[in-house]
């Protein structure tokens, strides 16, 4: 009898970091850059710095957990271990997977919608055409992912090359223009401590944090990473620091050519959704702007590729563990990847890409993750350290417990800034997850209905 297919550890530090970075640098920074400038004015760099700091602090938590539990599914395993495999951990991990089945397709849909939005610079698209493009992008990426992990690592490196070339061109363009440092010099022109703790700053941070999300993608692929105790933390820190430098440089480049006042005017009046394309057009002309837009579209595809790859492992891991619907636990008989999980997430992403607008999706993505996943994990680290100690940890976060306290405080601020409507949407998803879990637990006689 042939052995059942299993996930294989084939991804090293380089490929892991590549998949993290292309997940982070999707369409997000190109779409959110003008929004943040419109909200913050000359202080827009503060929002990007805040997003980087939150990501770096949170990466410490992910690194400790990911190195200790390097399995497919990431947060599913972390929450289960922290809150008890046979106790509340069942509920927490189920809620995470339940929300993932909603928010992961939202992330994918945001990349697809952003793709169609920037395509509008090259081709005028009516509303139905833009939706058709978004749906087609989801289908295309699903086709690329329908293969062995060895091939996926190679495709990821190819896509990552396009990401670096795109950001590099934008940054070099700003430096060559001669006013690259101007946005940094003007950062305190209208400085206000009140604005830094305001709801508006929170909304700006929601957009920048969205653009940094993905630094933990390597944890979802934990069962396929070589030497995970070292490579998982290294991959995350390299990704966060590297992308933070690129984002700040890109914002400074664009702000040195197009004044933030002009971009704010466009945002307030809905006049220009292609700020980076306009930036390239002013520097090099229409032809170069078209080439640059094509490269931005490449970046969007690369990010969507990494997002779908990582999140498809989450329902799979839970199903294999007997904590989610069994059908999600199937691996492809010859290619050894969770094809049912991938296809279900792709189908939902396809539907969401036809149904929602970008501004609603960004806030929704964060709200769905914060309470159970990010804050749940931060508290989970404390529980695990008290229960198991730290002697056997492959990676220990520095300055513990300060990163945990900071992460929880910052995530609560971001959650508040998503707004009442989005918080209500989260509560509906959370509530429905509770109902489904307790029904399943009652039938299976699991916690809290243990006989």
């Amino acid at each position: 009898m042939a052995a059942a297919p299993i996930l294989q550890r084939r991804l090293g530090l380089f490929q892991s970091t590549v998949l993290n970075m292309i997940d982070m640098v999707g369409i997000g920074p190109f779409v959110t850059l003008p929004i943040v400038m419109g909200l913050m004015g000359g202080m827009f760099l503060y929002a990007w710095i805040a997003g980087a700091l939150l990501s770096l602090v949170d990466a410490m938590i992910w690194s400790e957990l990911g190195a200790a539990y390097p399995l497919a599914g990431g947060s599913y395993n972390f929450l289960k271990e922290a809150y008890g495999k046979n106790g509340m951990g069942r509920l927490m991990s189920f809620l995470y997977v339940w929300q993932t089945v909603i928010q992961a397709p939202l992330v994918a849909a945001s990349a697809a919608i952003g793709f169609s939005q920037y395509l509008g610079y090259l081709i005028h698209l009516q509303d139905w055409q833009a939706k058709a493009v978004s749906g087609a992008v989801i289908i295309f990426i699903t086709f690329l992912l329908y293969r062995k992990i060895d091939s996926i690592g190679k495709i990821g490196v190819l896509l990552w090359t396009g990401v670096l070339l795109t950001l590099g061109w934008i940054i070099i363009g700003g430096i060559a223009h001669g006013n690259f440092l101007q946005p940094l010099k003007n950062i305190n022109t209208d400085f206000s401590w009140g604005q830094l703790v305001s709801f508006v700053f929170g909304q700006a941070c929601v957009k920048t944090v969205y653009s940094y999300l993905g630094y933990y993608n390597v944890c979802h692929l934990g069962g396929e990473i070589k030497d995970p105790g070292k490579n998982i933390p290294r991959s995350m820190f390299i990704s966060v620091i590297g992308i933070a430098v690129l984002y700040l440089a890109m914002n400074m480049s664009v702000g040195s050519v197009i004044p933030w006042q002009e971009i704010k005017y466009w945002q307030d009046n809905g006049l220009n959704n292609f700020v980076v394309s306009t930036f390239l057009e002013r520097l090099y002309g229409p032809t170069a702007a078209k080439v640059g837009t094509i490269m931005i579209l490449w970046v969007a595809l690369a990010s969507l590729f990494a997002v779908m790859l990582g999140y498809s492992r989450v329902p799979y891991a839970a199903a294999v563990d007997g904590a989610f619907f069994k059908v999600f636990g199937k691996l492809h008989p010859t290619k050894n990847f969770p094809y049912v999980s991938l296809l279900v997430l792709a189908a939902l992403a396809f539907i969401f890409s036809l149904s929602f607008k970008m501004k609603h999706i960004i806030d929704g993505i964060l709200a769905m993750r914060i309470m159970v996943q990010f804050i749940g994990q931060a508290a989970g680290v404390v529980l695990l350290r008290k229960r198991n100690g730290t002697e056997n940890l492959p990676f220990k976060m520095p300055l513990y417990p300060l990163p945990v306290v900071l992460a929880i405080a910052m995530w609560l601020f971001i959650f508040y800034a998503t707004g009442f409507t989005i918080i209500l949407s989260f509560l509906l998803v959370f509530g429905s997850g509770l109902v489904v879990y307790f029904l399943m637990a009652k039938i299976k006689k699991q916690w809290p209905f243990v006989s």
Side-chain angles (χ1 to χ4, degrees):
M1 185 175 182
I6 59 173
L7 296 176
Q8 301 172 354
R9 294 191 182 277
R10 297 291 181 85
L11 300 174
L13 176 61
F14 178 67
Q15 290 178 323
S16 302
T17 304
V18 162
L19 290 170
N20 263 3
M21 292 180 79
I22 63 175
D23 188 342
M24 295 170 74
V25 189
I27 199 67
F30 304 100
V31 172
T32 58
L33 181 153
I35 298 175
V36 173
M37 285 191 183
L39 288 169
M40 294 300 296
M43 295 175 61
F44 65 91
L45 288 177
Y46 280 112
W48 291 96
I49 293 170
L53 290 175
L54 173 55
S55 301
L56 193 60
V57 169
D58 197 51
M60 294 182 190
I61 295 169
W62 281 89
S63 293
E64 185 165 313
L65 292 169
Y69 305 99
L71 302 168
S75 294
Y76 166 76
N77 299 297
F78 307 158
L79 293 168
K80 181 181 66 175
E81 293 289 340
Y83 294 91
K85 296 179 182 180
N86 299 314
M88 189 177 175
R90 285 185 172 274
L91 171 62
M92 292 292 288
S93 56
F94 177 86
L95 288 174
Y96 164 67
V97 180
W98 181 261
Q99 291 173 194
T100 295
V101 173
I102 302 299
Q103 65 91 10
L106 282 175
V107 176
S110 70
I113 293 169
F115 181 97
S116 65
Q117 179 177 312
Y118 254 86
L119 183 63
Y121 180 82
L122 301 175
I123 307 168
H124 176 70
L125 298 173
Q126 296 181 13
D127 188 55
W128 71 269
Q129 293 172 319
K131 291 182 181 296
V133 168
S134 300
V137 166
I138 297 292
I139 294 172
F140 174 66
I141 291 297
T142 305
F143 169 76
L144 285 183
L145 285 169
Y146 211 82
R147 62 196 71 242
K148 292 182 178 180
I149 191 67
D150 308 62
S151 302
I152 283 174
K154 296 173 184 176
I155 294 173
V157 172
L158 175 64
L159 294 173
W160 178 68
T161 303
V163 170
L164 288 186
L165 288 173
T166 304
L167 292 180
W169 187 18
I170 294 169
I171 293 166
I172 291 171
I175 294 173
H177 179 252
N179 293 320
F180 179 73
L181 296 178
Q182 196 62 42
L184 192 59
K185 293 176 182 177
N186 295 337
I187 191 172
N188 290 324
T189 301
D190 299 312
F191 181 82
S192 164
W193 284 107
Q195 190 170 3
L196 277 187
V197 295
S198 68
F199 182 75
V200 172
F201 181 65
Q203 289 180 312
C205 288
V206 168
K207 307 304 185 291
T208 60
V209 170
Y210 161 76
S211 298
Y212 282 106
L213 291 180
Y215 50 88
Y216 44 75
N217 190 43
V218 64
C219 292
H220 299 319
L221 302 168
E224 294 157 279
I225 306 298
K226 298 176 184 176
D227 195 5
K230 294 181 179 179
N231 287 335
I232 287 178
R234 289 174 180 174
S235 174
M236 276 188 276
F237 291 126
I238 292 171
S239 299
V240 172
I241 294 171
I243 294 303
V245 171
L246 290 173
Y247 280 176
L248 289 170
M250 184 179 78
N251 274 267
M252 289 169 65
S253 288
V254 174
S256 70
V257 175
I258 309 175
W260 67 262
Q261 294 91 338
E262 187 175 357
I263 293 175
K264 179 175 175 58
Y265 176 78
W266 291 342
Q267 284 297 296
D268 292 343
N269 295 278
L271 296 177
N272 190 337
N273 290 321
F274 327 106
V275 170
V276 178
S277 297
T278 303
F279 160 82
L280 293 171
E281 183 177 341
R282 290 191 180 180
L283 285 180
Y284 306 110
T287 301
K290 290 178 181 178
V291 173
T293 302
I294 292 171
M295 294 175 72
I296 292 171
L297 298 178
W298 178 284
V299 172
L301 289 177
S303 175
L304 180 52
F305 178 88
V307 165
M308 294 292 288
L309 169 65
Y311 277 116
S312 64
R313 271 59 178 173
V314 175
Y316 159 77
V320 168
D321 206 28
F324 204 61
F325 303 108
K326 189 176 180 180
V327 67
F328 285 88
K330 291 185 177 181
L331 287 179
H332 193 281
T334 59
K335 297 181 173 63
N336 295 347
F337 73 95
Y339 72 104
V340 173
S341 182
L342 172 65
L343 292 176
V344 170
L345 295 185
L348 289 173
F350 179 84
I351 294 170
F352 292 164
S353 70
L354 303 181
S355 308
F356 297 118
K357 294 185 180 295
M358 178 68 83
K359 62 181 180 180
H360 299 134
I361 285 183
I362 291 176
D363 292 350
I365 287 168
L366 272 173
M368 292 293 171
R369 298 184 186 189
I370 289 174
M371 300 307 293
V372 173
Q373 185 181 15
F374 294 136
I375 292 181
Q377 285 180 183
V381 166
V382 178
L383 296 175
L384 285 167
R385 280 187 171 227
K386 286 184 177 180
R387 186 188 313 140
N388 303 331
T390 61
E391 291 183 5
N392 296 320
L393 289 177
F395 173 87
K396 301 173 188 177
M397 76 175 74
L399 303 176
Y400 176 86
L402 183 59
V404 174
V405 175
L406 286 175
I408 291 175
M410 289 188 286
W411 281 125
L412 287 173
F413 177 60
I414 296 293
F415 185 69
Y416 158 74
T418 59
F420 175 77
T421 302
I422 298 299
I423 291 174
L424 180 60
S425 299
F426 157 75
L427 291 174
L428 289 173
V429 173
F430 181 79
S432 64
L434 286 175
V435 171
V436 173
Y437 172 80
F438 284 120
L439 287 175
M440 290 178 60
K442 182 72 173 177
I443 293 170
K444 295 182 178 181
K445 292 183 170 32
Q446 296 175 342
W447 185 91
F449 304 106
V450 180
S451 56

